[in-house]
Amino acid sequence: MASPIRTENEPSRARLAYRRRRRYYRGHPIDDRSRKEAAAAPALARLTHERDLLREALLRSRADFDNSRKRLDREREEISRRAGEELVVGILPVLDNFQRALQACRNASDAGALARGVEMILEQMKAVLAQRGLEPIEALGQTFDPHLHEAAGVETRKDKKENEIVEVLQDGFRYNGRLVRPAMVRVARRPAKE
């Protein structure tokens, strides 16, 4: 079948369709760009929400990583501070025996040289332990503190204050600021008033 021949004055089908659309949209001015944006709005909202969730997850992961790193650093420092604590606690009885030997040598009259030698060893050991972080607890003449001292006995004394330490039976020590052994002491009590 032959296609109808159109004259020059007759508009084409495409031109007629264009005119119809134009007449329809005169009351509804919508351009192509706003139509595309309207169609893409749900996808954009979904992607924006997903981006926000991922950003929040990233921030939480970073915070968890920083907290873990800080915790590991603290634990590493704590382990290094306490690494020698076992050694120091093992040496303490040796230190006590040196002090007892020195006391026994002072009581004997012919053992002066021995006493000086043992005293030098004791001072050397104290210096080595002090370099490693061991510090003695001063107790004699102090007020009794149950956090630092262990009472091994009580003496009734008029010349001392209540709860004053009158004798140190065994020295107490701190290692890097932490109490490793309390001082064993004898504490003064005032006589009861009659």
Side-chain angles (χ1 to χ4, degrees):
M1 175 171 7
S3 63
I5 300 175
R6 64 181 180 91
T7 62
E8 284 203 354
N9 292 339
E10 282 185 319
S12 68
R13 283 162 110 196
R15 185 77 178 153
L16 288 173
Y18 170 76
R19 285 182 184 166
R20 270 187 260 134
R21 280 195 312 266
R22 192 168 171 203
R23 265 183 267 144
Y24 174 78
Y25 287 121
R26 274 192 188 143
H28 313 283
I30 296 178
D31 60 273
D32 284 340
R33 188 171 55 189
S34 62
R35 263 189 259 160
K36 289 177 184 176
E37 286 175 3
L44 180 64
R46 182 179 50 79
L47 290 173
T48 304
H49 178 69
E50 187 175 311
R51 181 204 59 200
D52 292 342
L53 289 176
L54 290 173
R55 180 181 292 155
E56 186 178 328
L58 174 67
L59 292 176
R60 284 185 181 172
S61 296
R62 281 184 184 171
D64 287 344
F65 177 76
D66 287 343
N67 291 339
S68 297
R69 185 177 45 80
K70 289 174 186 176
R71 187 184 71 245
L72 286 173
D73 289 345
R74 281 193 309 268
E75 289 174 359
R76 191 176 300 126
E77 287 175 10
E78 183 71 20
I79 288 170
S80 68
R81 273 197 355 247
R82 293 192 179 184
E85 183 175 319
E86 226 176 287
L87 171 70
V88 170
V89 170
I91 291 175
L92 288 177
V94 177
L95 186 65
D96 294 336
N97 290 334
F98 272 127
Q99 288 175 332
R100 289 184 194 109
L102 183 61
Q103 187 64 33
C105 289
R106 284 189 185 137
N107 294 338
S109 61
D110 60 342
L114 179 62
R116 283 191 300 278
V118 172
E119 192 171 30
M120 287 171 50
I121 292 171
L122 178 64
E123 292 305 316
Q124 182 183 14
M125 182 168 269
K126 283 182 179 179
V128 168
L129 292 174
Q131 286 176 346
R132 303 277 189 246
L134 186 73
E135 54 190 76
I137 295 172
E138 295 297 324
L140 191 62
Q142 304 290 321
T143 303
F144 179 77
D145 181 359
H147 300 288
L148 299 175
H149 310 120
E150 183 178 326
V154 178
E155 287 184 18
T156 304
R157 304 272 299 257
K158 290 181 182 180
D159 59 331
K160 300 291 182 182
K161 294 185 283 186
E162 184 76 16
N163 289 331
E164 183 178 340
I165 297 172
V166 294
E167 185 181 357
V168 178
L169 303 173
Q170 189 178 53
D171 289 335
F173 293 94
R174 284 190 186 108
Y175 181 68
N176 287 329
R178 185 173 169 261
L179 182 70
V180 291
R181 185 175 80 182
M184 192 177 298
V185 297
R186 198 175 298 274
V187 182
R189 290 271 182 221
R190 302 287 291 179
K193 294 182 181 180
E194 295 179 15

